[in-house]
Structure formats: structure tokens, C-alpha cells
Amino acid sequence: MEMNSESSKPTPHETIWFEDGSIVLQTDAHLYRVHKSMLAKYSSVFKDMFEIPIGRGGNGGSRGGVDEDKYDGLPLVKMAGDSDENVYHLLMTLYDREYVTMLSTLCFPLTLIFKLLRRAQADDAPNHRVVASDVHEVRHSLN
């Protein structure tokens, strides 16, 4: 995960960019083309966000919704306040079931795992609860 050094404009991520994706998430460094259905299935925060009506102009237009940003004709969600690293790890846990196992096998820094856990709790993402048992195992193996 490296920042585009040529400019400060986010670029499509080389791994988490699905041609059949239905939404683009933007961080300060990357664009992630993913699937609304996956995000909504595992995160009540995304699910609730997707249920907000989309308006036209004036932050809601006449229908009371919110304006929709686009990237390549797809809805664009700017992940303000979320680091590129955290968004990457969150998406990898959703899209790559072996990723969590790899994290614990490599004994990633516990601070990173705890950040991921906090994010999962904030997003209410049940798939991430698997990480909690891995953190427990990693923590005990380090003692």
C-alpha cells in the first residue's frame, strides 16, 4: 500500500479493485472499487448509509436525500477520517478469508489488530469477530 508519489490524487488500488464492483470508496491514497452488497451485509453502518435517499443538488434536492459523488459512473464514498491502511485492512478481512489467518500467523503488531477490532465494532461487522479469537491466540502466544 503505497501512496502515489506523482500526485496527491488517490489512485485505484491494485488488489481491491473489482471490475464488477458497484461502489468506489476513496481514501487519501487509494480508490477501492467494491460491492455495495458485501459492505451492507457485513456492516450496519454501510447498510444504513446505502438506505439514505439520493437527491439532486443542494445537498438533498427536493427529495430530502444527499448529493451523490461519482467515480466512473459509480457512487463514490469519501472515507473522511479513515486512514488508507485501516480501510485496506477492513476490506481485506471482508474479501479474503485467509487474510485474518495470515495476520495472526505473521504476528502482526497487536496495535494494528486492535485498531481493526475497534473499527469492526464501530461498523458492527460480524465477519470481523473472527479476529477477536485470533487476537486472543496471538496475545497468549506472545506471553
Side-chain angles (χ1 to χ4, degrees), residues 1-12 27-31 84:
M1 284 182 309
E2 56 191 52
M3 180 72 173
N4 180 6
S5 59
E6 295 174 0
S7 72
S8 62
K9 212 172 184 186
T11 59
T27 66
D28 58 338
H30 288 106
L31 299 166
D84 183 68

Side-chain angles (χ1 to χ4, degrees), residues 28-129:
D28 58 338
H30 288 106
L31 299 166
Y32 298 93
R33 186 171 177 166
V34 294
H35 305 90
K36 279 175 132 180
S37 57
M38 280 287 282
L39 297 175
K41 180 178 181 179
Y42 294 108
S43 169
S44 63
V45 172
F46 279 112
K47 182 179 183 287
D48 292 346
M49 180 180 67
F50 298 149
E51 292 174 355
I52 297 172
I54 303 301
R56 288 188 142 163
N59 287 326
S62 60
R63 292 184 280 167
V66 295
D67 287 336
E68 181 177 35
D69 291 324
K70 298 269 188 185
Y71 182 88
D72 239 5
L74 296 175
L76 175 71
V77 175
K78 295 177 182 172
M79 304 294 288
D82 293 311
S83 75
D84 183 68
E85 181 180 28
N86 287 346
V87 171
Y88 170 80
H89 291 297
L90 176 68
L91 293 173
M92 284 298 290
T93 60
L94 291 177
Y95 280 96
D96 186 351
R97 298 212 182 269
E98 295 178 12
Y99 186 72
V100 173
T101 304
M102 182 201 64
L103 283 178
S104 64
T105 302
L106 295 176
C107 292
F108 257 62
L110 287 177
T111 55
L112 175 62
I113 295 172
F114 288 132
K115 280 182 185 179
L116 185 60
L117 277 173
R118 279 194 299 273
R119 177 62 189 214
Q121 287 173 340
D123 284 349
D124 188 31
N127 193 39
H128 295 199
R129 291 195 179 107

